[in-house]
Amino acid sequence: MGTLYLVRHGQASFGADDYDQLSPLGQRQSERLGAWFAARGLRVDAVLTGTLRRHEQTWAALAEGARWGDAAPAPQRHAALDEYDSHALIRAVAPQPLTDARTPEGYRQHFRLLRDALAQWMAGVIDPEGMPSWDRFAHGVRSVLEQVRRSQDGHVLIVSSGGPIATAAAQVLGAPAETAIELNMRLRNSALSEFTFNARHIRLLTWNTLPHLDDPACAEWVTYA
């Protein structure tokens, strides 16, 4: 029986020109998660990441926090673990200029429109520019899970984004695709979700936990974007 750890990237740069970059807090979140692994004597035998910068930075900070050094596995990069394009999704349902997402009103509007756009994308109602269909996106996530199930053992770590991680959880649970939206919207930065797996199946064990941020001193470290 193997253990699969799915980790969402640390806080990125929401509202900036380049979102795909860990914030200083995102760096600290990821390092602290690595220290949590090390404190429990946990090591990973394989690492899979998306190809986005925030995935690579999260893995690098986690490995640094764990002080694995040269013992850290070389990550296998999979485009199927990359996030959907939230801006393309929102443009497909609201092409007009929007309120600055860095304001409270703009932040709420962004995620309200994103939730609606995700539902329409999953239903095949919209075809966001530059994005695969929902079926292709979900198939890519399923293929990565199948690779883990069939060819890995021991402790496997995946570093990805909210969309692929929520999609994976919904697939493992046998839940409707729409369930992935709810799981996605509540997934926290650097959150750890654990699954068990063998050659026959993958099972969910824990979801969206922050054991590395349990200290009251880290109360302000909990973020969603």
Side-chain angles (χ1 to χ4, degrees):
M1 183 74 72
T3 302
L4 173 62
Y5 303 104
L6 265 63
V7 171
R8 187 187 176 206
H9 62 80
Q11 184 190 54
S13 300
F14 184 81
D17 291 338
D18 183 8
Y19 172 75
D20 192 22
Q21 177 80 29
L22 287 192
S23 69
L25 176 56
Q27 179 81 15
R28 295 196 299 273
Q29 290 167 337
S30 305
E31 290 175 354
R32 193 170 179 93
L33 179 58
W36 179 87
F37 269 87
R40 282 146 189 82
L42 296 174
R43 288 186 175 273
V44 293
D45 302 296
V47 177
L48 291 72
T49 74
T51 68
L52 302 177
R53 190 184 310 127
R54 59 189 183 272
H55 301 156
E56 297 171 355
Q57 291 172 341
T58 297
W59 160 239
L62 191 158
E64 176 66 25
R67 300 186 181 275
W68 285 332
D70 292 340
Q76 305 169 38
R77 301 169 79 239
H78 293 264
L81 294 172
D82 288 349
E83 185 63 289
Y84 51 70
D85 185 340
S86 61
H87 294 294
L89 280 160
I90 290 174
R91 284 195 300 269
V93 297
Q96 71 277 13
L98 302 175
T99 305
D100 188 339
R102 290 170 293 185
T103 67
E105 178 186 353
Y107 185 88
R108 289 190 296 271
Q109 179 187 54
H110 174 91
F111 284 101
R112 183 174 62 252
L113 290 170
L114 178 57
R115 182 185 291 271
D116 178 48
L118 284 168
Q120 293 194 44
W121 178 45
M122 290 175 175
V125 175
I126 60 172
D127 183 19
E129 183 179 358
M131 284 181 54
S133 67
W134 162 251
D135 287 343
R136 280 188 58 199
F137 179 87
H139 175 74
V141 173
R142 186 178 296 108
S143 296
V144 173
L145 292 180
E146 286 297 298
Q147 176 186 329
V148 170
R149 184 176 63 79
R150 293 177 176 176
S151 63
Q152 301 288 348
D153 56 19
H155 297 274
V156 180
L157 172 69
I158 289 179
V159 179
S160 183
S161 290
I165 292 174
T167 300
Q171 290 174 353
V172 167
L173 293 171
E178 293 79 9
T179 301
I181 300 176
E182 301 306 318
L183 294 172
N184 186 180
M185 292 297 115
R186 305 313 302 165
L187 196 59
R188 299 171 291 187
N189 294 118
S190 77
L192 174 68
S193 300
E194 299 173 81
F195 299 73
T196 60
F197 70 92
N198 59 28
R200 296 180 58 190
H201 60 248
I202 300 178
R203 297 284 187 261
L204 178 63
L205 186 62
T206 69
W207 175 252
N208 196 22
T209 67
L210 295 173
H212 54 300
L213 302 183
D214 276 349
D215 191 317
C218 297
E220 301 300 318
W221 291 29
V222 179
T223 59
Y224 291 85

